[in-house]
Amino acid sequence: MIVFIARKVGGALVTFAVAITLAFLLSRMSGDPTANILGPFATPDQFESLRERLGLNDPLPVQFLDYLKSAFTADFGESLQYGQSNTQLILERLPNTIVLIVLAMAIAIGIGVPLGVVAATKEGSAWDRLASTVALLGQSMPVFWLGLMLILVFAVNLGLLPAGQDGSLKHVILPAVTLSMYPLAQIARLTRATMAEVLREPYIDAARARGLRSRRIIGVHALRNASMPVVTITALQAGLLLSGAVAVEYVFNYSGFGLLAIQAVEFRDYTLVQAVVAFGVLAFILLNLAVDLLYAVIDPRIRRA
Amino acid sequence: MRAVDVAIRHDGHDAPTVKGVSLEVGSGEIVGIVGESGSGKTTLAMAVAGLSPYTGAAVDGALEVVGCDLASADRRALKALRADVQVVFQNPHASLDPRQSVRAGFRELRTLQRERTSWISDEELMERVKLSPDLLDRYPHQLSGGQAQRVCIARALLMRPRLLIADEPTSGLDVSVQARVLELLLDVRDRDGIAILFISHDLAVVRLLCDRVYVMRFGEVVESGPTTRVLTEPQDPYTKALIEASPGRHGPGADRLRAVKA
């Protein structure tokens, strides 16, 4: 188990290093941020002194080392755009995004898993067709379009929920529903497929022959054995939701991590982009680590590996 | 158990898998069903175990198992039947839930039938099937094929059944392990008086274990009678062909098995 954890953590560190290196290089390639800060009427001297002050005239390796130092001390300096500490900016916005993702994931699991289970136990029934339809729609609808449609129906026409901004639970509902559609579809589809497969296993027949109730057979024996791929996809989706949140937050003008990321990129706010990427990657990696450990809890066969 | 003129049809198929089959298993008797793959042996066994609804098969004819008429049985009667009739399947690993330890498997049955299963402790039960109680906390993947099959038999015994259906219980095992499992089945009959319906394509095994035998082909019984009679003086040409083709007839496996019975 200790070797297992050590190997996973080692892999995670490599991933982190590669990701932050890419974030550094890509932001340097995107152009000069000083133009955005000083505006169109600044003199060449002003540009030059600002570049000097921000350390942009240093050779790239020096800049990179500075960034590495900041990444490992979790002090990412000041935002070029807001003049505030980057870490603080992110920590302010992060809770909004976490609420959004947790709610979206809860909707996706709460509806996706039962839908998949029912579809698998009643293959070919109306429920099964409903599940397939939901899965197809959920996977093929673009997030921004779905978000706009929901705003149109629930905010504009029915006036039930606010169209944007943040602040209360009411404000999170529409973005969360929008964000949940894709993982919901994935989870429903995968649950159905793995459940249908597990239900054909001999130990399910064996459990029936022993006289166990259907509910126990489906709920305990089948679902537990079908849960591995479902847990995987759920966790992977939770990571992907971080990127999904960027689009959703933009559509609903929801002030979270994703919106901050867009603003940082638009402004060429190097330091903020780098900080955002480092945080995002870290979150994704921690999620994946959690999944790996969860596997070992669910499946006794993995503990030895 | 008694079956009279039973026909079994699968969903979406016109031709019945089993047709016009009658068979009987008396208490404490070991009865074999032999036939090649696709002859309807397993379909028939699943019907006797009351599992047809789950395999998408429809049963016609009278099927009476331990005093319970399957066609008219309600849920309560079926629950009792599921305890009176236990099944041991062909692939022991596949018929155990991979996430359930041996002990948890026993516990599940004990909650299901509290009184019926109180006659023996987990440790005694393990010893009864000649397994070390140390294996109680193992998961199926940590057991060998033979051990896993013993666990399956132990689970069946725990319910004190009157009929045990063994569907090719040894065909996935090594010959030496096969012999031990067959020995255990004989012992189950002798000590607990449990009747066994033994399904196999291996004539050498059937010869050793079964009192009577039914030979099936294309869903019909072509010959039946006491095992020694059927296997030494076969009347039906198919039985003759089956005996001729039997690979275990003179092989080391057969000798080994004969030694077990002696």
Side-chain angles (χ1 to χ4, degrees):
Chain A
M1 190 76 189
I2 290 173
V3 178
F4 174 79
I5 294 174
R7 220 169 26 203
K8 293 289 170 198
V9 173
L13 281 175
V14 174
T15 314
F16 186 68
V18 170
I20 59 173
T21 309
L22 279 177
F24 174 83
L25 291 177
L26 289 178
S27 59
R28 303 295 131 159
M29 280 190 252
S30 71
D32 189 341
T34 49
N36 283 328
I37 299 171
L38 294 173
F41 305 110
T43 63
D45 282 350
Q46 284 176 297
F47 281 120
E48 193 48 39
S49 70
L50 183 63
R51 277 202 206 100
E52 191 59 43
R53 192 159 64 79
L54 295 177
L56 295 175
N57 282 341
D58 295 343
L60 273 186
V62 174
Q63 291 187 37
F64 186 61
L65 280 179
D66 282 345
Y67 171 46
L68 274 190
K69 207 175 80 192
S70 66
F72 283 98
T73 52
D75 172 15
F76 289 95
E78 278 181 10
S79 156
L80 305 182
Q81 177 178 199
Y82 298 97
Q84 263 178 296
S85 147
N86 284 319
T87 310
Q88 202 187 333
L89 272 174
I90 288 171
L91 291 180
E92 267 170 25
R93 303 282 196 101
L94 210 50
N96 277 344
T97 298
I98 290 174
V99 169
L100 176 63
I101 288 181
V102 168
L103 196 63
M105 226 43 224
I107 296 172
I109 296 169
I111 296 178
V113 170
L115 203 59
V117 170
V118 172
T121 47
K122 299 193 164 78
E123 265 183 287
S125 70
W127 279 106
D128 191 12
R129 282 197 295 277
L130 175 74
S132 315
T133 312
V134 169
L136 188 70
L137 283 178
Q139 279 186 298
S140 42
M141 275 186 300
V143 163
F144 62 87
W145 180 83
L146 176 64
L148 290 175
M149 288 304 118
L150 288 177
I151 290 175
L152 197 63
V153 174
F154 289 97
V156 179
N157 290 343
L158 297 176
L160 287 174
L161 293 161
Q165 308 272 320
D166 50 284
S168 75
L169 189 63
K170 252 183 155 178
H171 290 89
V172 199
I173 295 176
L174 284 186
V177 169
T178 309
L179 193 57
S180 74
M181 267 310 146
Y182 190 79
L184 192 157
Q186 294 273 9
I187 290 171
R189 235 171 40 122
L190 197 73
T191 306
R192 182 192 178 282
T194 49
M195 273 300 270
E197 201 174 302
V198 169
L199 285 174
R200 281 193 286 271
E201 292 282 340
Y203 58 78
I204 298 299
D205 284 336
R208 288 200 169 110
R210 287 183 197 114
L212 295 178
R213 286 197 193 167
S214 273
R215 191 180 296 176
R216 183 168 170 89
I217 293 173
I218 291 166
V220 176
H221 294 284
L223 196 55
R224 202 163 48 164
N225 281 292
S227 61
M228 263 302 244
V230 177
V231 169
T232 315
I233 196 103
T234 303
L236 285 179
Q237 289 297 335
L240 290 180
L241 284 196
L242 214 54
S243 55
V246 174
V248 171
E249 285 178 11
Y250 193 69
V251 169
F252 288 92
N253 195 24
Y254 182 90
S255 168
F257 186 75
L259 201 56
L260 186 69
I262 291 187
Q263 288 161 350
V265 170
E266 276 176 353
F267 198 82
R268 295 204 186 100
D269 192 339
Y270 285 2
T271 57
L272 186 54
V273 169
Q274 288 168 356
V276 163
V277 170
F279 267 89
V281 171
L282 191 67
F284 198 83
I285 286 173
L286 287 179
L287 260 169
N288 278 310
L289 264 181
V291 177
D292 284 334
L293 296 181
L294 201 57
Y295 278 169
V297 175
I298 301 177
D299 194 336
R301 281 170 295 191
I302 288 184
R303 277 173 223 161
R304 295 191 309 174
Chain B
M1 69 141 287
R2 241 155 51 93
V4 181
D5 199 23
V6 165
I8 304 170
R9 206 179 290 276
H10 275 94
D11 287 351
H13 294 274
D14 287 338
T17 324
V18 171
K19 50 199 173 214
V21 167
S22 298
L23 86 168
E24 240 183 86
V25 182
S27 60
E29 207 181 9
I30 302 187
V31 173
I33 302 181
V34 286
E36 58 200 47
S37 311
S39 60
K41 297 171 297 190
T42 298
T43 306
L44 186 62
M46 291 303 107
V48 174
L51 286 175
S52 297
Y54 302 111
T55 52
V59 183
D60 279 331
L63 194 53
E64 190 191 301
V65 183
V66 289
C68 164
D69 178 16
L70 276 184
S72 63
D74 55 9
R75 283 183 59 157
R76 201 197 188 98
L78 274 179
K79 187 176 173 186
L81 175 77
R82 296 260 150 79
D84 277 331
V85 180
Q86 290 292 311
V87 188
V88 173
F89 292 87
Q90 175 170 2
N91 182 341
H93 276 124
S95 57
L96 294 170
D97 180 341
R99 311 262 164 95
Q100 197 174 44
S101 69
V102 176
R103 193 191 296 279
F106 291 157
R107 197 186 310 127
E108 186 173 45
L109 295 182
R110 288 184 190 280
T111 8
L112 193 69
Q113 295 273 358
R114 214 169 284 281
E115 279 159 35
R116 220 187 158 107
T117 52
S118 62
W119 64 287
I120 193 168
S121 72
D122 287 353
E123 286 74 16
E124 286 165 346
L125 184 60
M126 291 297 269
E127 272 157 23
R128 179 74 186 76
V129 296
K130 305 207 166 56
L131 284 177
S132 157
D134 298 342
L135 300 182
L136 271 171
D137 292 308
R138 297 263 183 106
Y139 287 90
H141 72 276
Q142 297 164 319
L143 300 171
S144 71
Q147 287 170 339
Q149 195 58 290
R150 278 162 198 277
V151 168
C152 292
I153 294 172
R155 282 208 201 186
L157 280 183
L158 180 60
M159 297 297 253
R160 306 218 97 177
R162 292 170 62 192
L163 174 66
L164 181 69
I165 298 172
D167 186 2
E168 308 248 7
T170 59
S171 52
L173 307 173
D174 294 341
V175 175
S176 59
V177 181
Q178 267 188 29
R180 305 257 157 260
V181 170
L182 292 175
E183 201 176 354
L184 177 59
L185 286 176
L186 271 176
D187 182 60
V188 163
R189 192 270 302 265
D190 294 344
R191 265 170 65 180
D192 302 272
I194 296 169
I196 298 176
L197 182 60
F198 189 84
I199 295 157
S200 180
H201 63 265
D202 188 343
L203 288 177
V205 170
V206 168
R207 191 195 304 266
L208 291 163
L209 203 65
C210 302
D211 306 317
R212 287 190 302 117
V213 64
Y214 291 81
V215 181
M216 281 187 78
R217 186 189 196 196
F218 300 140
E220 286 177 289
V221 171
V222 294
E223 184 161 10
S224 67
T227 312
T228 34
R229 209 276 294 148
V230 171
L231 295 186
T232 49
E233 303 157 39
Q235 305 296 307
D236 188 85
Y238 176 69
T239 316
K240 284 179 190 161
L242 206 60
I243 294 169
E244 284 305 312
S246 167
R249 201 149 61 111
H250 306 294
D255 292 341
R256 183 70 207 256
L257 293 175
R258 231 165 270 141
V260 170
K261 184 137 189 187

